Short mmCIF file of all heavy atoms in Angstrom, two decimals:
data_model
loop_
_atom_site.label_atom_id
_atom_site.label_comp_id
_atom_site.label_asym_id
_atom_site.label_seq_id
_atom_site.Cartn_x
_atom_site.Cartn_y
_atom_site.Cartn_z
N ASP A 12 15.22 -130.52 115.30
CA ASP A 12 14.29 -130.37 116.41
C ASP A 12 13.74 -131.75 116.71
O ASP A 12 12.95 -132.31 115.96
CB ASP A 12 13.16 -129.40 116.04
CG ASP A 12 12.28 -129.09 117.23
OD1 ASP A 12 12.05 -129.99 118.06
OD2 ASP A 12 11.82 -127.94 117.32
N ILE A 13 14.18 -132.33 117.83
CA ILE A 13 13.83 -133.71 118.15
C ILE A 13 12.33 -133.87 118.31
O ILE A 13 11.76 -134.85 117.84
CB ILE A 13 14.57 -134.16 119.43
CG1 ILE A 13 16.07 -134.17 119.16
CG2 ILE A 13 14.09 -135.53 119.89
CD1 ILE A 13 16.92 -134.40 120.37
N ALA A 19 7.00 -136.03 113.09
CA ALA A 19 7.09 -136.40 111.68
C ALA A 19 7.06 -137.91 111.47
O ALA A 19 6.65 -138.40 110.44
CB ALA A 19 8.35 -135.81 111.05
N GLY A 21 5.23 -140.02 113.18
CA GLY A 21 3.99 -140.60 113.68
C GLY A 21 3.78 -140.48 115.17
O GLY A 21 2.74 -140.87 115.68
N CYS A 30 16.33 -137.90 128.01
CA CYS A 30 17.50 -138.76 128.21
C CYS A 30 18.59 -138.02 128.97
O CYS A 30 18.66 -136.80 128.95
CB CYS A 30 18.05 -139.22 126.86
SG CYS A 30 16.89 -140.23 125.95
N ALA A 42 18.95 -136.39 138.65
CA ALA A 42 19.52 -135.48 139.65
C ALA A 42 19.05 -134.06 139.35
O ALA A 42 19.13 -133.61 138.21
CB ALA A 42 21.03 -135.55 139.62
N GLY A 47 17.03 -126.31 139.10
CA GLY A 47 15.83 -127.01 138.62
C GLY A 47 16.02 -127.85 137.38
O GLY A 47 15.12 -128.58 136.98
N GLU A 94 14.04 -128.10 150.90
CA GLU A 94 13.55 -128.52 152.21
C GLU A 94 14.52 -129.42 152.96
O GLU A 94 14.37 -129.64 154.16
CB GLU A 94 12.21 -129.25 152.04
CG GLU A 94 11.11 -128.36 151.49
CD GLU A 94 9.85 -129.14 151.14
OE1 GLU A 94 9.75 -130.32 151.52
OE2 GLU A 94 8.98 -128.56 150.48
N ILE A 102 26.29 -132.59 155.93
CA ILE A 102 27.04 -132.94 154.72
C ILE A 102 28.12 -133.99 155.03
O ILE A 102 28.49 -134.76 154.18
CB ILE A 102 27.65 -131.67 154.10
CG1 ILE A 102 26.51 -130.80 153.54
CG2 ILE A 102 28.63 -132.00 153.00
CD1 ILE A 102 26.94 -129.45 153.03
N GLN A 125 17.82 -147.92 147.13
CA GLN A 125 18.59 -148.74 146.18
C GLN A 125 19.49 -147.86 145.31
O GLN A 125 20.65 -148.20 145.05
CB GLN A 125 17.64 -149.58 145.31
CG GLN A 125 18.36 -150.53 144.37
CD GLN A 125 19.23 -151.55 145.10
OE1 GLN A 125 18.87 -152.02 146.18
NE2 GLN A 125 20.36 -151.89 144.53
N LYS A 136 34.21 -148.13 144.19
CA LYS A 136 34.93 -148.74 143.06
C LYS A 136 35.72 -147.70 142.29
O LYS A 136 36.85 -147.94 141.90
CB LYS A 136 33.94 -149.45 142.13
CG LYS A 136 33.39 -150.72 142.71
CD LYS A 136 32.47 -151.41 141.73
CE LYS A 136 31.94 -152.70 142.31
NZ LYS A 136 31.02 -153.37 141.41
#
Side-chain angles (χ1 to χ4, degrees):
D12 187 324
I13 296 172
C30 297
E94 296 171 12
I102 292 174
Q125 184 61 36
K136 287 182 179 179

